[in-house]
Amino acid sequence: MNKENNIMINLQNKLFLSINNLIKREKLLAEYFNIQGDYKMVENFYLDLIILADDLWQILERPYDYESLGKYKAQITQFYEENDIDLDIEKLNPAKRKSKLEIISDDISWANNGQWIDLTNDLYIIRENYEIQAALKIASKNLLEAKKIYQRIIGINEDLIKYIDDPDDKIEKSKNLRDLGQLNELLGNSLEAEGNFSQAIKILENTFDEDMEISINYNLAKAYYDQAEYFRDRKNLDKAIVSDKKRSGYLQSQQGKIL
């Protein structure tokens, strides 16, 4: 038992450190983009600071320096006031606000390539640590906590897509949405689950990359399979048949392309 506890503590500490490292990185980048006058990026990072600070308590279940969390909220409140943005931070959902900010990777002016590499590396590390944490929550049958973590994993992938627009991250986001759909189905959240499966399909149907075509279509086939299984479980056989046909179409399209 002591060995298992030590493994859990070690995993928790890795996640804690990865979140703290990302907080430090994003504080610096918020200051940089503020100087550059790129206010969408400033808001994006301030909102993420609030989300990450909150994660340290909600997911890690340990005390956090709420003075810092209050500071981030004060900073973004000041930012909204200075830019005549009529939003109340106390009533704001930072994750939803972040998802509405239209940030395109090609338009981002980075301080230097090193900052870009460091930030994306931090995001990949935290994503990996979150995935381990989610697996542990699922293994312990704590599905509600696993759901929270999957929502954050999806948020990390959304950031990566904004910053580097890599098809691999879109594929990962699609997988995460399918996993979240299965969790919601187990939790009895049918409408959320159906939405997750639909989103998992939509993101890949809007992803175009010749070099990744096989992987994209293979994952689309898997997404349609999961959707078909969901409809079968709900006794909606007509929709299940439609999803199965689309799955078969994507698999057939790849025949002869895989050596």
Side-chain angles (χ1 to χ4, degrees):
M1 183 61 70
N2 286 336
K3 184 177 180 181
E4 289 181 6
N5 286 340
N6 287 337
I7 291 172
M8 287 292 293
I9 291 169
N10 187 42
L11 290 170
Q12 290 279 59
N13 286 337
K14 282 185 177 180
L15 181 55
F16 181 82
L17 289 172
S18 67
I19 292 175
N20 265 325
N21 286 338
L22 189 56
I23 285 174
K24 291 176 185 177
R25 184 83 55 205
E26 295 198 338
K27 283 170 63 179
L28 291 172
L29 285 167
E31 293 169 5
Y32 165 74
F33 284 110
N34 195 36
I35 293 169
Q36 296 296 311
D38 190 339
Y39 299 122
K40 282 186 179 180
M41 288 299 295
V42 176
E43 184 183 3
N44 185 80
F45 284 124
Y46 278 152
L47 289 168
D48 213 33
L49 288 171
I50 293 169
I51 294 167
L52 289 166
D54 197 43
D55 280 354
L56 288 174
W57 176 73
Q58 285 197 33
I59 295 173
L60 296 177
E61 300 174 353
R62 68 170 72 193
Y64 181 67
D65 180 3
Y66 276 93
E67 184 178 343
S68 294
L69 181 58
K71 182 182 177 182
Y72 301 149
K73 288 186 176 182
Q75 285 174 334
I76 197 165
T77 299
Q78 182 181 352
F79 168 78
Y80 288 149
E81 289 172 352
E82 290 174 350
N83 291 279
D84 296 321
I85 300 173
D86 186 19
L87 290 172
D88 182 358
I89 187 63
E90 295 303 327
K91 297 179 181 178
L92 188 69
N93 183 324
K96 286 186 178 179
R97 175 67 182 173
K98 260 176 65 74
S99 68
K100 292 178 181 178
L101 292 175
E102 294 182 0
I103 296 169
I104 301 171
S105 59
D106 292 343
D107 296 335
I108 297 173
S109 174
W110 296 97
N112 55 60
N113 197 46
Q115 281 196 5
W116 177 83
I117 293 171
D118 289 341
L119 176 65
T120 52
N121 282 344
D122 283 344
L123 288 169
Y124 285 128
I125 290 168
I126 198 172
R127 184 177 73 182
E128 181 182 357
N129 285 323
Y130 272 136
E131 287 169 345
I132 295 170
Q133 200 73 11
L136 292 172
K137 296 294 184 183
I138 291 171
S140 63
K141 308 298 183 185
N142 194 338
L143 301 184
L144 282 173
E145 286 299 311
K147 176 181 174 178
K148 287 181 187 178
I149 297 170
Y150 265 106
Q151 288 170 330
R152 288 297 295 123
I153 293 170
I154 289 167
I156 293 294
N157 281 323
E158 286 171 351
D159 278 345
L160 285 164
I161 290 165
K162 286 179 182 178
Y163 303 152
I164 58 177
D165 195 23
D166 190 331
D168 274 326
D169 296 318
K170 294 179 181 179
I171 290 171
E172 283 301 311
K173 183 182 174 184
S174 178
K175 291 177 181 177
N176 298 150
L177 284 163
R178 283 157 40 207
D179 290 338
L180 184 58
Q182 289 167 352
L183 280 173
N184 273 318
E185 188 176 5
L186 289 170
L187 289 165
N189 303 326
S190 299
L191 287 177
E192 282 188 68
E194 185 170 344
N196 296 145
F197 292 127
S198 295
Q199 290 169 355
I201 289 167
K202 185 177 180 181
I203 189 174
L204 292 184
E205 286 186 329
N206 291 309
T207 300
F208 307 100
D209 188 292
E210 289 184 7
D211 295 333
M212 299 287 293
E213 182 184 357
I214 292 173
S215 183
I216 291 168
N217 286 342
Y218 172 71
N219 279 280
L220 260 171
K222 290 182 71 175
Y224 271 116
Y225 173 81
D226 285 347
Q227 187 185 58
E229 288 293 289
Y230 167 79
F231 286 136
R232 268 191 283 274
D233 290 341
R234 312 306 300 176
K235 309 300 182 186
N236 194 332
L237 299 183
D238 289 340
K239 287 188 176 181
I241 289 170
V242 171
S243 297
D244 272 330
K245 285 181 177 178
K246 290 186 176 181
R247 175 184 67 89
S248 297
Y250 279 107
L251 288 175
Q252 289 171 6
S253 72
Q254 298 310 300
Q255 287 183 356
K257 294 182 180 180
I258 304 174
L259 298 179

